[in-house]
Each structure stands twice: as structure tokens, then as C-alpha cells.
Amino acid sequence: MGCGALKFGSFTLKSGRTSPYFFNAGLLSSGPILAVLSEAYAGTIVAAQQPSDSNISPLPSFDVLFGPAYKGIPFAASTALTLHTAHSISVGFAYNRKEAKDHGEGGSIVGVPLNGQKVVILDDVMTAGTAVREAIELVRKEGGEVVGVVQCLDREEVGKDGVSSTTKEVEELIGGRVKAILRMRDLIEWLAREGRTAEVGAMREYREKYGLKD
């Protein structure tokens, strides 16, 4: 909220849903903020790779972080750096061009070639999963295998069928893990602690309509 990346009001999302809050990851654009964000992404990845007592499989080892253009580009680059410096994990990173280049080396992918690589996609926020599905298709088209997705914010909403978890839908699509740094419930808890009653009410009403019932 300090940099304006999280706003409250009325916003039409890419999914077509009207939301009482909006997360603009493009405003996470200063050195200090990127340092904290990359640490959070890297920490979430490392934690997801640890075995647990549940039946959920850990995030497997992977080769490449993929940051969908444009917002995902600095996230992939800074997180690859943090994984190396803070966790001694060496991975490459890649991102896509919005329009394929028709000169020089050509193509639509910049960075590590994806063919034959295990890939983790870094996403900013997932609602109905529209954008991440596009990223998955793009990686597959380049010959990569998506083994996981890590989001900055999981809105914890139902998917396109209005019933299933978007996260579960994407996990079934890739046969891998989907993790998040923050969830909608974390935002609601924070707003409640801050005494922001109006925002809490709007968030809970929205969650009742579109939220995952668990």
C-alpha cells in the first residue's frame, strides 16, 4: 500500500469480475521493494521444495524461472539472483516478448532457451488464472515443462467453472505445485487489524461471491 500497488475501490479485472481491491505489481519498482519481493519469492520457492508430512508433493528441482512480460521480467531476474546469493541455488531466467522479433536472433523468448527445461513461472496475482494459463501455453510451445507456479498474491477465488479452486485447476493443468507469498485471507486479516472496517466488509462480500469455499 505504501507504494500504491494495493488499492481499494471498484475495479474490473481481466477475468471480467468487479473487485473491491486491485493489486498492481508493476508499481513494485524500486530497489528496496524488489529486494524484499525477490527474497519473498525465493523463500517461498525454497520452502515449497522441502518435504512435508502431508500427501502434497514438494516443488521439484527446476532449471528456469519464467517471468511473463512485462511485470514478471524484473521478478524473474531478481529472484534468480536471490536464489543464487542467499540459497546457493543456480537457475536461469527467461521472459517473453509481446511481439516476436523478426530480425537478429528472432523469436519471442529472451534469456535461457526453454526447450527441454523444467520451468517455474512467477506470477503476480491469480484470479481466474487467465494470464497464467497463457504463460503455461507459451512455455510449452517453446518445449519447456512447467513444474510449478509461484504467485505474489493468491486471490483464493473459484476458477472458470465457478466452483473449483483456480489454484487446483492450474495444478491439474501442469501436474505440479502452485504456491503464493500472500493470500486474500492475509489481506483481510491485516485490514481487520488496521481497523479498516469498510474494506473488510467489501472484501468479505466479494469473497462470499467468488471466493473458494474451504
Side-chain angles (χ1 to χ4, degrees):
M1 287 189 68
C3 67
L6 179 63
K7 296 180 183 295
F8 296 93
S10 180
F11 307 92
T12 300
L13 306 178
K14 190 172 184 177
S15 63
R17 298 171 184 174
T18 302
S19 169
Y21 73 106
F22 182 69
F23 177 60
N24 182 1
L27 295 176
L28 301 174
S29 53
S30 72
I33 289 174
L34 279 176
V36 172
L37 185 63
S38 64
E39 288 171 3
Y41 268 124
T44 302
I45 289 169
V46 170
Q49 290 182 320
Q50 305 307 309
S52 66
D53 295 331
S54 68
N55 294 325
I56 301 175
S57 301
L59 181 71
S61 297
F62 61 97
D63 309 298
V64 183
L65 286 172
F66 183 78
Y70 293 102
K71 295 175 184 176
I73 297 173
F75 301 160
S78 59
T79 301
L81 176 63
T82 301
L83 283 172
H84 171 66
T85 57
H87 301 281
S88 299
I89 296 175
S90 178
V91 296
F93 76 93
Y95 58 91
N96 61 299
R97 295 186 177 97
K98 289 287 188 178
E99 296 181 2
K101 188 177 179 183
D102 59 3
H103 59 280
E105 74 278 12
S108 60
I109 300 297
V110 181
V112 175
L114 301 179
N115 188 37
Q117 303 294 295
K118 294 184 184 298
V119 179
V120 168
I121 295 172
L122 296 188
D123 198 16
D124 55 352
V125 59
M126 188 184 296
T127 306
T130 306
V132 76
R133 285 180 171 89
E134 293 174 356
I136 291 167
E137 180 61 29
L138 183 58
V139 171
R140 287 176 171 173
K141 184 179 178 182
E142 294 294 325
E145 176 190 358
V146 179
V147 297
V149 175
V150 179
Q151 318 163 62
C152 185
L153 173 65
D154 182 358
R155 294 177 60 102
E156 297 186 294
E157 297 186 22
V158 292
K160 291 183 175 182
D161 64 1
V163 179
S164 305
S165 158
T166 300
T167 294
K168 294 299 182 187
E169 286 181 355
V170 174
E171 285 183 332
E172 290 175 2
L173 178 62
I174 66 175
R177 298 291 306 280
V178 175
K179 298 293 291 182
I181 297 170
L182 289 171
R183 302 165 298 173
M184 184 183 186
R185 69 187 71 182
D186 299 319
L187 296 184
I188 293 175
E189 289 174 6
W190 180 82
L191 289 167
R193 288 199 303 269
E194 294 292 308
R196 302 184 61 146
T197 316
E199 287 92 344
V200 169
M203 295 274 280
R204 286 177 174 162
E205 182 179 340
Y206 181 82
R207 190 175 188 185
E208 183 62 30
K209 185 174 183 180
Y210 293 116
L212 180 65
K213 309 299 187 293
D214 48 20

